[in-house]
Amino acid sequence: MSKGKLLLIGSNATRIEVQGGRTGATGQYLNETVVPAMAAVDAGYEIVLATPDGTKPHIDEASDSVDHFEGDQAAYRRGKAYYADDPAMNAPRTLRSVIEEGLDNYVGVFVPGGQAPVVDLMQDADLGEILRHFHDKAKPTALLCHGPIAIASAMPHAREFRAALVAGAPEKAREWAKDWQYAGYKMTVFSNTEETVVEDYILKAKLYFNMVDALEIAGGEVITTPVNFEPNVIEDRELITGQNPRSDKPLAARLVAALDRSLATAKAA
């Protein structure tokens, strides 16, 4: 019997704006999606995938590699097979349908990374409604790598906040971020120096803003490692954030532990 449903929120973005008025290819990272999802399933939870438009997320080609599974070919094959074939990964819902069905049906929420959430999720009104619900109910809310930028959607003016960041107007962005639910929370996200590596070697272009800067402007207390791609997970109240792709397993463990604690508390009430 399932312990409960974990809502996995994916992005539908396949292109991201870069400086110079162009776009670059983007998507969701494979390991960041499947490692926490499979850990939750192994712990007895059911996964429900939802995206803004109800279609399956595109996997960023840069992440489709055994390198992101610590060189473990068996883990890589298992992860690819899970994403390709598991029924939970092939029955995506729209965010709106999940809201209308009732968010109390879910024990927690998880948002993986890849740069795609920077495009759609961080300014999606439905995701904002979902995150505000989990915040108000103090239910486990986990986000990985670029995924933590999605918590900006909980702002009353998320679209305006993002537009100000793209325009290079941090003070205006700070105004739009007023009354953000996660202001003052400790959190982590893909670091500025890690982003430079991706911009130089994968994207081959510069983004309009960095994730650390955006979350700090909004009022988050962002903590990143001094060494690039060193695993890092920060937990503050219901919020669990992981810094980079190599934080997938540590974040999965913290998420499962938080789900189990939340379940135990609910049963005792």
Side-chain angles (χ1 to χ4, degrees):
M1 179 181 293
S2 170
K3 291 180 180 178
K5 295 179 180 179
L6 174 64
L7 182 59
L8 194 165
I9 295 180
S11 167
N12 291 128
T14 60
R15 307 290 299 180
I16 188 168
E17 313 101 313
V18 295
Q19 293 183 27
R22 298 178 293 111
T23 64
T26 195
Q28 193 165 290
Y29 260 44
L30 177 64
N31 68 300
E32 295 176 20
T33 303
V34 302
V35 170
M38 291 189 298
V41 170
D42 290 344
Y45 294 94
E46 177 185 351
I47 299 294
V48 175
L49 173 63
T51 65
D53 70 13
T55 62
K56 191 172 182 177
H58 168 70
I59 293 297
D60 192 322
E61 291 182 6
S63 74
D64 189 1
S65 167
V66 69
D67 293 342
H68 288 291
F69 292 81
E70 301 174 343
D72 186 333
Q73 286 285 354
Y76 172 52
R77 288 194 297 269
R78 181 182 176 225
K80 283 200 70 167
Y82 176 79
Y83 193 75
D85 303 326
D86 192 272
M89 295 294 100
N90 289 287
R93 307 271 306 276
T94 63
L95 299 181
R96 176 46 49 183
S97 72
V98 167
I99 293 169
E100 291 174 351
E101 179 191 68
L103 295 173
D104 285 330
N105 293 324
Y106 298 90
V107 295
V109 61
F110 167 59
V111 182
Q115 291 174 323
V118 184
V119 181
D120 56 358
L121 295 186
M122 74 173 290
Q123 57 180 337
D124 189 278
D126 288 336
L127 178 55
E129 184 175 345
I130 290 168
L131 290 174
R132 289 191 295 271
H133 170 89
F134 281 91
H135 171 75
D136 292 343
K137 300 289 185 178
K139 288 185 176 182
T141 302
L143 310 98
L144 179 58
C145 197
H146 288 80
I149 198 64
I151 57 177
S153 66
M155 296 175 186
H157 300 284
R159 286 185 177 275
E160 293 87 347
F161 173 74
R162 186 181 188 278
L165 293 173
V166 170
E171 290 306 316
K172 192 64 178 177
R174 188 170 285 110
E175 292 176 21
W176 288 121
K178 187 178 179 182
D179 298 324
W180 188 42
Q181 288 77 1
Y182 300 100
Y185 272 64
K186 293 180 174 64
M187 60 186 69
T188 192
V189 71
F190 203 60
S191 74
N192 291 353
T193 52
E194 289 168 340
E195 197 76 79
T196 297
V197 173
V198 173
E199 289 173 332
D200 290 349
Y201 294 100
I202 298 176
L203 196 60
K204 301 186 186 309
K206 294 291 184 183
L207 299 180
Y208 280 101
F209 59 90
N210 289 316
M211 306 309 106
V212 172
D213 301 344
L215 291 177
E216 288 182 338
I217 287 169
E221 184 178 337
V222 182
I223 302 165
T224 58
T225 61
V227 178
N228 284 347
F229 304 106
E230 182 176 292
N232 180 34
V233 176
I234 302 294
E235 188 168 356
D236 186 354
R237 288 158 278 187
E238 82 280 3
L239 188 66
I240 307 165
T241 50
Q243 180 175 326
N244 48 41
R246 291 191 61 221
S247 303
D248 55 359
K249 287 183 178 178
L251 179 130
R254 296 285 281 271
L255 172 57
V256 168
L259 291 170
D260 287 347
R261 286 196 308 270
S262 181
L263 185 62
T265 300
K267 286 182 177 178

